[in-house]
Amino acid sequence: MPNANHDSPTLPSTNELSQAQRRAVSELLRVSPVADDLARRFQDAGFTLALVGGSVRDALLGRLGNDLDFTTDARPEDVLKIVRPWADAVWEVGIAFGTVGCRKSDFDIEVTTYRSEAYDRTSRKPEVSYGDSIEEDLVRRDFTVNAMAVRLPEKEFVDPHNGLQDLAARVLRTPGTPEESFSDDPLRMMRAARFAAQLDFEVAPEVVTAMTGMAERLEIVSAERIRDELNKLILSDHPRKGLALLVDTGLAKRVLPELPALRLERDEHHRHKDVYEHTLTVLEQAIDLETEGPDLVLRLAALLHDIGKPRTRRFEKDGRVSFHHHEVVGAKMTKARLTKLKYSNEMVKDVSKLVELHLRFHGYGTGEWTDSAVRRYVRDAGPLLDRLHKLTRSDCTTRNKRKANALSRAYDGLEERIARLQEQEELDAIRPDLDGNEIMTILGIKPGPAVGKAYQHMLELRLEHGPMGHEAAVAALKEWWAAQDQG
């Protein structure tokens, strides 16, 4: 593969370029059987095919997966004719935008016709206009590191915008001016933050300037597209980097205004912890506790757990600052924001519940909770208990090592008590000793509100005293029922 143009004033070393190219050759050899086979079919039909964009970038970084992106001069209907007899499966969900998807062996493949313009600058909807050359297609791509291609099957490297050099320098630039790029598709401003977080790249100063000046353009982008981009950023390896960029450029005010609002002013009389910096640290600490890969529910809860603080801040007479009930206010704000961003009902419910419960542990203190209080903690967390453990542990960002160690020991103690109780009584599926049918049989009543009240009473007894045994439970139910009759 030939080198990129070396006329840039900030040249990466020859060694950096050759390493990147060696990695790319190795990666491309791995996918060659499928890629070359497909390219020959396009060639036989009179069309060209090139590996493009993120696939080339990831090949150069040595991290090419099994998702392959191609570009071609063939129109979508011609692409379908070529891939249908060859692929194991074909899908047309993106065909209105010039993209045909298919699967071959272990590879998920997208083939997109050259584009010239991607967006009507006043509309939320992409407006597709096909181009006639790969160079025309590459200039309208979001960033130079995504504007490289490899023509197949000849393996000719195409890099008209010095993307290889920017890749070596770990910097994000746009092929044309950032203003033109972001006018074509304002979501690219969020993508800059996402790639900074995913790849740990710096964003070029002129790109940051354009993002800051054009933040209001995000208003024409649909909530679903913004949500999907935000998810990719939050699930990345370095979300702090991307989130900080969104806040610094003003984009966060349009997407997640609760985050910059955490930058509470401090003065010499009312000093308190920087809630914004604390939040980003909690997010990073929560990530460190993940055991089965990135967890969007946990990460969103960490990011939003304190968003109720600005609305509940009070300056007390003794000079302290308080945020009473910020977890309750924050849970309502979380529900409203995630709903507006079109998250699923289940995601909204789970994240809001974690925000609501994140302070509950601090009532545990030095371990004076009764067994019934521990049972309630488990019952209220339900299937979110493991995430609540992680969120609560992450929420300690104090530099006071003695205080941090004391909190950690206290939570260790709570987890041990939960484990012991679970062994004794299968705590995570707490139910009263009598079910609804037994209650109706014992009391001789039919379904109705009285059964629900009786069931709730027996559940409270179960939480307070643990398992009672059948005879004791029957006696307790009858005693309660007699008191109801007397009332």
Side-chain angles (χ1 to χ4, degrees):
M1 290 167 61
N3 276 1
N5 181 357
H6 278 205
D7 295 334
S8 167
T10 53
L11 292 176
S13 70
T14 304
N15 185 48
E16 284 179 309
L17 289 178
S18 61
Q19 280 184 342
Q21 289 169 320
R22 280 199 298 273
R23 282 196 297 267
V25 169
S26 170
E27 294 286 277
L28 292 172
L29 283 173
R30 180 177 66 82
V31 304
S32 262
V34 168
D36 287 351
D37 185 16
L38 184 59
R40 277 190 290 271
R41 289 172 181 269
F42 273 79
Q43 205 172 48
D44 291 345
F47 300 109
T48 62
L49 189 73
L51 195 68
V52 73
S55 291
V56 176
R57 179 199 71 220
D58 288 344
L60 288 162
L61 290 171
R63 47 181 276 178
L64 179 60
N66 283 9
D67 292 346
L68 304 179
D69 293 326
F70 295 92
T71 189
T72 180
D73 56 349
R75 296 298 192 253
E77 58 272 18
D78 296 314
V79 175
L80 282 172
K81 288 177 187 174
I82 295 168
V83 301
R84 273 209 171 108
W86 173 80
D88 299 328
V90 175
W91 48 93
E92 302 179 29
V93 288
I95 202 161
F97 309 120
T99 299
V100 172
C102 65
R103 185 169 183 81
K104 180 70 172 179
S105 302
D106 296 329
F107 294 94
D108 285 326
I109 292 166
E110 286 193 347
V111 183
T112 302
T113 303
Y114 296 155
R115 293 178 189 166
S116 56
E117 186 85 24
Y119 237 78
D120 175 342
R121 298 185 179 191
T122 60
S123 168
R124 287 175 181 262
K125 295 180 180 178
E127 184 182 86
V128 176
S129 177
Y130 297 131
D132 298 314
S133 71
I134 195 167
E135 290 77 16
E136 192 180 6
D137 180 82
L138 294 177
V139 75
R140 58 146 294 277
R141 301 221 163 220
D142 51 9
F143 303 104
T144 60
V145 296
N146 296 330
M148 299 177 282
V150 178
R151 294 186 200 271
L152 299 171
E154 57 267 46
K155 307 288 193 303
E156 179 192 348
F157 186 48
V158 184
D159 183 18
H161 306 289
N162 296 323
L164 184 57
Q165 293 182 11
D166 287 341
L167 194 71
R170 304 178 69 80
V171 66
L172 288 170
R173 300 183 199 280
T174 52
T177 69
E179 289 79 10
E180 286 175 333
S181 181
F182 298 155
S183 287
D184 286 348
D185 186 353
L187 190 69
R188 289 174 176 174
M189 294 186 284
M190 283 198 66
R191 227 176 263 149
R194 187 249 291 186
F195 282 126
Q198 278 185 336
L199 303 172
D200 197 17
F201 279 21
E202 298 305 316
V203 180
E206 70 274 14
V207 177
V208 174
T209 299
M211 291 167 69
T212 306
M214 299 176 68
E216 79 285 350
R217 290 281 296 148
L218 265 185
E219 290 175 6
I220 73 163
V221 181
S222 69
E224 290 87 350
R225 293 184 75 216
I226 287 173
R227 175 203 64 210
D228 292 347
E229 205 59 49
L230 187 63
N231 285 349
K232 291 173 186 174
L233 190 163
I234 291 170
L235 290 170
S236 70
D237 289 340
H238 308 278
R240 176 191 277 261
K241 191 167 195 169
L243 291 166
L245 184 60
L246 291 181
V247 170
D248 293 343
T249 56
L251 287 166
K253 283 185 180 177
R254 313 274 170 180
V255 174
L256 199 65
E258 295 80 5
L259 185 59
L262 294 175
R263 281 177 151 174
L264 298 173
E265 72 282 355
R266 296 186 295 172
D267 60 45
E268 57 184 324
H269 303 296
H270 298 295
R271 292 205 168 273
H272 58 271
K273 193 183 296 181
D274 184 325
V275 183
Y276 169 69
E277 288 296 329
H278 163 75
T279 293
L280 295 181
T281 301
V282 171
L283 173 59
E284 290 181 320
Q285 292 183 169
I287 290 169
D288 288 340
L289 294 177
E290 290 174 340
T291 52
E292 297 179 12
D295 182 344
L296 185 59
V297 171
L298 176 64
R299 293 190 185 196
L300 282 170
L303 187 62
L304 301 173
H305 78 284
D306 272 349
I307 61 172
K309 279 190 169 179
R311 289 192 187 176
T312 57
R313 182 171 60 155
R314 298 287 180 272
F315 298 116
E316 306 293 353
K317 290 178 182 177
D318 61 4
R320 291 184 307 108
V321 180
S322 67
F323 305 97
H324 294 308
H325 306 302
H326 76 266
E327 73 283 10
V328 177
V329 173
K332 290 178 181 175
M333 292 171 66
T334 295
K335 182 178 180 180
R337 175 55 52 195
L338 296 185
T339 300
K340 194 167 185 179
L341 285 170
K342 304 293 179 70
Y343 280 90
S344 69
N345 291 338
E346 185 178 6
M347 180 75 71
V348 173
K349 178 167 141 274
D350 287 351
V351 177
S352 302
K353 175 62 78 173
L354 286 170
V355 172
E356 183 183 346
L357 293 176
H358 84 272
L359 278 189
R360 179 78 71 85
F361 161 72
H362 294 284
Y364 186 71
T366 54
E368 63 272 14
W369 277 9
T370 61
D371 283 352
S372 65
V374 175
R375 291 187 193 101
R376 289 175 199 279
Y377 186 77
V378 173
R379 180 192 66 176
D380 290 348
L384 297 171
L385 182 62
D386 184 57
R387 288 184 173 118
L388 183 59
H389 288 332
K390 292 171 183 172
L391 178 61
T392 303
R393 287 185 180 277
S394 304
D395 196 22
C396 176
T397 60
T398 179
R399 293 178 184 174
N400 183 326
K401 288 189 177 178
R402 184 181 298 175
K403 185 178 177 183
N405 288 336
L407 280 168
S408 181
R409 282 196 303 273
Y411 209 84
D412 287 343
L414 176 58
E415 286 200 40
E416 286 167 11
R417 286 185 66 187
I418 289 171
R420 282 200 304 273
L421 282 168
Q422 282 178 323
E423 277 182 23
Q424 293 166 18
E425 49 192 76
E426 296 180 357
L427 188 58
D428 28 8
I430 291 176
R431 287 178 174 77
D433 292 85
L434 302 172
D435 64 24
N437 288 328
E438 289 173 307
I439 288 170
M440 288 188 287
T441 300
I442 293 164
L443 299 182
I445 59 176
K446 294 180 179 180
V451 179
K453 287 180 183 178
Y455 185 91
Q456 191 59 41
H457 173 70
M458 297 306 296
L459 179 59
E460 290 297 323
L461 290 179
R462 172 73 172 76
L463 288 167
E464 199 66 38
H465 304 294
M468 299 176 66
H470 185 75
E471 286 185 18
V474 170
L477 175 64
K478 288 180 176 178
E479 182 182 346
W480 172 82
W481 184 244
Q484 302 307 300
D485 286 344
Q486 290 168 11

